[in-house]
Every structure is written in C-alpha cells, then in structure tokens.
C-alpha cells in the first residue's frame, strides 16, 4: 500500500474547509495514517519547499504557507501519490476539473487549498519532515 504526504493549506483551514476536505479524503478511500495541525514558521516553510528555492514564487509561497495553520497528513491507498494528485486537481484552481478539491475549495494558484507529493522519493522526504515513524499509525 502506497503512502503520500498531504497538506490542507492555510487558505483552506482559514475558510473552514478542513472538515469537508477530510470527509472527501475518506470517501475516496484513503486511510489517514497520521494527521496534525501545525503553524509553520517562515524557516520551516522554506525548508519544506527547498526544492522550489530558485523559483520566482518561492518567497510568496513560503510566506503564504507560514501565514496560518495547516493540517498535515499521511494518506495511504493503492497508488496514493497519483490518486491524491488526481483528487486535488490542477495546481491552478481555474484549470482544475469539476469535482476536484482545488476546483471546489481553491481560490487561485497561490491559495490552492491543498498540497500533495509528486513522486515516491518526495513523499518519503516530506513525510519524514513532519512525522516520526512512531506517529504513523498504519
Ligand atoms: P503542485 O502543488 O501542484 O505540486 P508545484 O509546481 O509543486 O505545484 O508548486 C508548489 C506550489 O507553489 C503550488 O501548489 C502553488 O501554490 C505554488 N505555485 C506554483 N506555480 C506557481 C506560480 O506560477 N505562481 C504562484 N504560485 C505558484
């Protein structure tokens, strides 16, 4: 069974969408293996998005991610990485398909409600950034 790392971003927690997003996650057959609410510092957000440090939107992205609380999670399902990205939809909510989380809950490309790992190596790194092995409750 594959695991991926997911975030309910600060725009979505502030708007009160956490419960509805968690409900969709369970309805779509993901098991929530670990979950917690955190408020990242700018430095912690920069560490998490280090792979994007050369991108023009890095400062805005890390400021946004440290602007309010997030819900961070480890999700488990067959093909979890791809399945979670499919459920999130396109990065830009304006381009996201009907029925996806970013279409329903995202406002724009900066405030797009959710994050998901893009590959097995990133999933492993991102899970380890936020959770210890003891916190993963299979
Ligand atoms: P993903 O979250 O769909 O995997 P990435 O390309 O990994 O997309 O980008 C990480 C995050 O950075 C996105 O979720 C989005 O919030 C933000 N982002 C990506 N591209 C842009 C952009 O062109 N302008 C502003 N923000 C962007």
């Amino acid at each position: 069974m594959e695991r991926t790392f997911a975030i309910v971003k600060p725009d979505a927690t502030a708007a009160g969408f956490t419960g509805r997003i968690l409900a969709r996650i369970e309805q779509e057959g993901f098991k929530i293996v670990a979950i917690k609410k955190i408020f990242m510092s700018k430095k912690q957000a920069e560490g998490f998005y280090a792979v994007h440090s050369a991108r023009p939107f890095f400062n805005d992205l890390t400021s946004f991610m440290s602007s309010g609380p997030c819900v961070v999670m480890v999700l488990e399902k067959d093909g979890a990485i791809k399945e979670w990205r499919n459920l999130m939809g396109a990065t830009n909510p304006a381009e996201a398909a009907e029925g996806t989380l970013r279409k329903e809950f995202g406002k724009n490309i900066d405030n797009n409600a959710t994050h998901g790992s893009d590959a097995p190596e990133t999933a492993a790194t991102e899970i380890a950034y936020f959770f210890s092995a003891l916190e993963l409750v299979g």
Side-chain angles (χ1 to χ4, degrees):
M1 206 60 108
E2 190 172 64
R3 288 176 174 177
T4 193
F5 175 73
I7 304 182
V8 179
K9 291 186 176 182
D11 58 313
T13 63
F17 295 148
T18 305
R20 272 181 277 172
I21 291 173
L22 295 184
R24 274 303 294 285
I25 286 170
E26 293 195 322
Q27 276 159 17
E28 301 293 335
F30 293 89
K31 182 172 174 183
I32 301 172
V33 169
I35 183 165
K36 60 189 171 191
K37 191 170 188 181
I38 60 162
F39 195 150
M40 274 187 266
S41 67
K42 174 85 163 155
K43 283 263 174 295
Q44 288 168 332
E46 285 169 359
F48 175 64
Y49 278 117
V51 64
H52 290 314
S53 60
R55 311 275 285 271
F57 56 82
F58 181 68
N59 187 51
D60 285 349
L61 174 61
T62 53
S63 293
F64 165 61
M65 291 300 286
S66 56
S67 68
C70 289
V71 174
V72 293
M73 287 169 280
V74 178
L75 305 179
E76 190 174 85
K77 188 181 183 181
D78 271 338
I81 293 170
K82 194 162 191 306
E83 291 277 306
W84 172 239
R85 289 188 68 86
N86 288 343
L87 180 57
M88 288 197 299
T91 305
N92 187 347
E95 289 160 16
E98 221 39 74
T100 63
L101 295 174
R102 282 168 165 169
K103 175 75 178 181
E104 189 171 358
F105 300 113
K107 291 187 194 78
N108 53 52
I109 194 160
D110 298 301
N111 297 258
N112 61 0
T114 55
H115 164 85
S117 310
D118 60 3
E121 308 72 48
T122 0
T125 312
E126 292 178 354
I127 290 169
Y129 193 74
F130 292 102
F131 294 101
S132 74
L134 278 176
E135 293 176 297
L136 307 179
V137 184

